Amino acid sequence: MESKVFDHEFFMTESDLFSLYSSGGLEKTILMFKGLLTQDILVVLAEMLSNNLSNDPRQKTTKKMFSIFVELAQNIHRYSSEKFMVENKEVGSGIVLVNEFKEYFTLISGNVIENSNLVKLQTQLEFINTLDEEGLKNYRKEKLKQKREVGDKGAGVGLIDIARKASRQIELRVKQLDNDKSFISFYILLEKEF
Amino acid sequence: MQALNIEETKFTMKIDFDPITGFCSMDGNSYPEDAISFFEPIVDWLKDYISQVKGPVKLRIRLNYLNSSSSKCFMDIFDTLEDYHVAGGDVFVEWVYNEDDDEIHDSGEELLEDMSFRYEFVVEND
């Protein structure tokens, strides 16, 4: 009979796992998740994040973090093209990563979308990134007053809300996978407010 | 007409709407996965109350957190109340916020500032 001894070749090395766990040194990973972002998981992760920070005097930062995280996660839930049925509901899959640095946090989210939705997203984000505080406020109001597009469960204001809370412009990176699909990722920076 | 009562969850508000007094309360967190479905019975109840009971509406909103799609649904509620007010209905909205919570205060202000019905911001301390 073939022996079932442990074979390292099947796994990443222990140091790979540790470097992922401790992620370098400068930053500290405080949250890492890949998979289906069901509402239950989203709630647990969001609460975990705010509990992690709430002993902190930076209440304001905690609230902003919670809010940016929820918008990113709900974007994945709604717009990821990798969808699966969970308890009769379609749930999107993706990845979220929150890192803490000395003076700021970074939030990164990623998921696959159809290339047909890419241009609309890029155009919207480019426009949002040109707006200042007042511009964002007015654009948000305009969006809230607009009629919803058929089938859209979001409000089209998620990115605007992220932009208003983030300390820098939102960066969108796109990696085209094939003719139909791309992997997109959002990079958000949130400075700690003391 | 029946009262509308919805229990609170970690991500949806406790809803208590009373057709006899017209007192309506929304209290808690609001970041449902599908805000439109959550708010639908609430907006429908208000529309029925406005067309059938035609009484005063006193809406008290007290939030910890609301996501972007809930904001849009609050706009639907306020638009409904605005139409009622313009048609002569008695509308009063109370937006309760914690003294440290500028975000919730500002969310309320941005939703309410173009409305012509009476509204008030109420500060709460911890």
Side-chain angles (χ1 to χ4, degrees):
Chain A
M1 208 179 102
E2 213 180 316
S3 79
K4 291 185 174 174
V5 292
F6 186 83
D7 188 338
H8 290 273
E9 267 188 45
F10 294 123
F11 296 87
M12 65 196 328
T13 68
E14 208 175 306
S15 67
D16 287 341
L17 184 61
F18 182 70
S19 72
L20 195 59
Y21 183 73
S22 59
S23 44
L26 268 183
E27 78 269 33
K28 186 175 109 190
T29 298
I30 54 177
L31 188 144
M32 181 164 15
F33 177 84
K34 187 203 170 206
L36 289 176
L37 268 160
T38 64
Q39 180 71 10
D40 290 346
I41 288 172
L42 188 153
V43 171
V44 171
L45 295 179
E47 284 190 342
M48 212 170 86
L49 254 187
S50 45
N51 291 341
N52 207 324
L53 305 182
S54 64
N55 293 332
D56 218 278
R58 300 177 295 259
Q59 272 290 338
K60 235 190 157 113
T61 315
T62 307
K63 288 208 161 116
K64 285 184 176 173
M65 167 81 86
F66 186 90
S67 166
I68 295 172
F69 178 81
V70 169
E71 296 299 333
L72 287 175
Q74 290 190 325
N75 267 344
I76 292 173
H77 179 100
R78 289 192 192 110
Y79 302 117
S80 170
S81 68
E82 294 178 312
K83 286 219 158 79
F84 301 87
M85 295 300 281
V86 179
E87 288 163 357
N88 295 321
K89 278 184 204 156
E90 258 196 340
V91 181
S93 171
I95 184 164
V96 273
L97 184 64
V98 182
N99 282 329
E100 179 170 9
F101 293 78
K102 191 161 172 264
E103 302 195 330
Y104 56 90
F105 296 96
T106 58
L107 293 97
I108 306 168
S109 73
N111 59 272
V112 176
I113 67 165
E114 312 276 340
N115 287 338
S116 54
N117 296 325
L118 196 55
V119 176
K120 191 182 162 196
L121 177 65
Q122 281 170 319
T123 315
Q124 212 207 347
L125 188 64
E126 271 166 31
F127 178 64
I128 287 173
N129 277 339
T130 64
L131 298 173
D132 61 7
E133 216 170 295
E134 194 62 23
L136 284 168
K137 185 187 159 183
N138 293 332
Y139 184 49
R140 182 182 197 267
K141 200 177 251 181
E142 192 184 306
K143 281 276 182 187
L144 286 183
K145 294 265 178 200
Q146 240 169 42
K147 287 253 175 297
R148 291 185 182 86
E149 285 175 40
V150 179
D152 192 359
K153 289 183 178 171
V157 291
L159 279 179
I160 305 172
D161 282 4
I162 295 172
R164 292 181 80 186
K165 293 183 166 86
S167 314
R168 296 280 188 285
Q169 290 184 337
I170 302 170
E171 180 166 86
L172 171 65
R173 295 185 192 167
V174 179
K175 184 182 167 58
Q176 189 154 341
L177 303 176
D178 55 40
N179 285 335
D180 303 321
K181 289 185 167 128
S182 293
F183 180 78
I184 57 157
S185 43
F186 292 108
Y187 289 74
I188 321 288
L189 189 135
L190 179 63
E191 279 168 6
K192 296 179 182 174
E193 288 176 54
F194 295 96
Chain B
M1 194 177 167
Q2 294 224 322
L4 178 70
N5 305 103
I6 302 173
E7 282 307 307
E8 184 176 17
T9 72
K10 283 182 173 176
F11 51 94
T12 54
M13 300 165 287
K14 179 169 166 57
I15 305 294
D16 292 296
F17 282 21
D18 181 352
I20 296 163
T21 60
F23 185 80
C24 303
S25 161
M26 307 174 82
D27 193 326
N29 281 317
S30 188
Y31 58 109
E33 58 182 317
D34 183 353
I36 299 173
S37 304
F38 180 79
F39 277 83
E40 200 176 23
I42 300 169
V43 177
D44 287 350
W45 190 97
L46 274 174
K47 286 182 173 162
D48 288 347
Y49 176 82
I50 287 167
S51 64
Q52 292 168 28
V53 182
K54 303 182 176 75
V57 178
K58 186 174 188 289
L59 174 60
R60 184 172 193 270
I61 300 162
R62 185 173 170 273
L63 294 168
N64 298 317
Y65 169 68
L66 84 161
N67 70 345
S68 58
S69 46
S70 297
S71 288
K72 190 159 177 92
C73 295
F74 271 107
M75 192 58 107
D76 295 341
I77 289 181
F78 295 152
D79 283 341
T80 304
L81 293 179
E82 177 70 9
D83 290 346
Y84 184 43
H85 168 71
V86 169
D90 179 4
V91 176
F92 179 61
V93 172
E94 230 177 39
W95 186 277
V96 186
Y97 70 100
N98 190 287
E99 60 173 342
D100 300 324
D101 203 339
D102 301 340
E103 309 242 329
I104 287 293
H105 173 272
D106 294 352
S107 303
E109 195 165 73
E110 288 177 23
L111 287 164
L112 287 163
E113 62 189 2
D114 296 331
M115 302 295 159
S116 69
F117 55 74
R118 283 188 308 136
Y119 59 85
E120 213 172 84
F121 288 90
V122 179
V123 193
E124 223 173 38
N125 307 319
D126 276 328

